[in-house]
């Protein structure tokens, strides 16, 4: 547990150091975040752009910040869906659950039940955030599904270091999980909140 805590601390420290070198995001992205935050009933988040990541993420050491991948366009039709997805993680307080999950992993790393529950919790969180996207942007299902496919392809080709896996909103995940998400986005419904 002490060794795992040291490894996770080192990973988070490296990511925090990289974030200090991040630059402010383009005004197009910032404006979209401001508008979409209002639709979700959130205060707007600071937005940074960082090279070397393939998908946007929420960084939450202190006040949550949206970190935009430098290689992603800021004018594509799929941008709104990706932004709403990340903001939904903040609205649901998944960033706080992530810290609890990290501490639980340090304590129960040896327990197979922990890994199963963690995987199920992450998959359900992604489905719930996808449901937020559908509820906020009901006409954007197709564009959002296409953006998920594009981001999943980018993660497969050049996955970010494992240190970012805890904070990246769209994870590579399993093929089955991605298929389930895409079917839900295009046809189904999922609850915005999960029972305790």
């Amino acid at each position: 547990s002490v060794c795992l805590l040291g490894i996770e601390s080192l990973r988070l420290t490296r990511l925090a150091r990289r974030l200090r070198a991040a630059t402010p995001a383009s005004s197009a992205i910032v404006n979209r975040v401001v508008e979409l935050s209002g639709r979700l009933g959130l205060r707007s988040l600071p937005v940074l752009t960082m090279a070397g990541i393939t998908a946007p993420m929420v960084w939450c050491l202190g006040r949550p910040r949206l970190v935009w991948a430098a290689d992603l366009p800021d004018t594509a039709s799929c941008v709104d869906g990706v932004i709403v997805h990340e903001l939904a993680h903040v609205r649901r307080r998944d960033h706080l659950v992530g810290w609890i999950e990290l501490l639980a992993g340090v304590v129960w790393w040896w327990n197979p039940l922990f890994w199963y529950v963690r995987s199920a919790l992450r998959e359900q969180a992604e489905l719930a955030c996808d449901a937020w996207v559908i509820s906020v942007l009901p006409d954007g299902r197709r564009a959002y599904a296409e953006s998920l496919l594009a981001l999943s392809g980018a993660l497969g080709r050049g996955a970010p270091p494992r240190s970012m896996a805890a904070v990246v909103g769209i994870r590579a995940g399993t093929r089955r999980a991605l298929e389930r998400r895409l079917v839900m986005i295009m046809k189904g419904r999922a609850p915005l909140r999960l029972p305790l």
Side-chain angles (χ1 to χ4, degrees):
S1 291
V2 170
C3 181
L4 187 58
L5 181 61
I7 291 169
E8 292 298 337
S9 297
L10 180 64
R11 289 177 177 164
L12 290 170
T13 301
R14 285 181 180 166
L15 182 54
R17 191 177 313 130
R18 288 187 61 203
L19 279 167
R20 281 193 289 271
T23 59
S26 71
S27 60
I29 292 294
V30 172
N31 292 339
R32 296 310 302 149
V33 169
V34 169
E35 181 187 334
L36 295 168
S37 294
R39 287 195 200 175
L40 286 168
L42 286 173
R43 187 171 56 149
S44 183
L45 302 180
V47 188
L48 302 172
T49 299
M50 188 167 81
I53 60 172
T54 55
M57 65 183 192
V58 173
W59 173 251
C60 58
L61 190 58
R63 183 176 178 212
R65 287 169 276 177
L66 177 62
V67 182
W68 195 258
D71 294 338
L72 288 180
D74 58 7
T75 56
S77 61
C78 63
V79 165
D80 283 358
V82 173
I83 291 171
V84 170
H85 181 96
E86 295 305 318
L87 293 174
H89 279 295
V90 175
R91 166 92 189 215
R92 289 173 29 86
R93 293 179 173 74
D94 287 337
H95 55 290
L96 300 177
V97 174
W99 287 111
I100 295 168
E101 183 184 294
L102 179 69
L103 293 175
V106 168
V107 175
W108 291 302
W109 58 269
W110 49 269
N111 189 338
L113 183 60
F114 166 76
W115 297 104
Y116 172 77
V117 169
R118 185 182 85 156
S119 176
L121 183 67
R122 287 181 174 183
E123 185 175 339
Q124 292 302 315
E126 295 302 319
L127 284 170
C129 290
D130 291 342
W132 275 99
V133 173
I134 293 167
S135 70
V136 172
L137 306 168
D139 296 329
R141 287 178 185 251
R142 183 177 178 87
Y144 179 57
E146 288 173 355
S147 69
L148 276 183
L149 285 172
L151 289 172
S152 295
L155 286 171
R157 287 188 305 277
R162 192 166 175 256
S163 63
M164 293 182 199
V167 289
V168 171
I170 300 174
R171 295 175 179 87
T174 64
R175 181 177 169 189
R176 182 192 62 77
L178 179 61
E179 288 173 358
R180 183 175 174 202
R181 288 178 69 188
L182 292 173
V183 167
M184 190 281 301
I185 290 165
M186 295 307 294
K187 296 182 179 178
R189 289 187 169 149
L192 301 178
R193 293 172 184 82
L194 297 174
L196 185 59

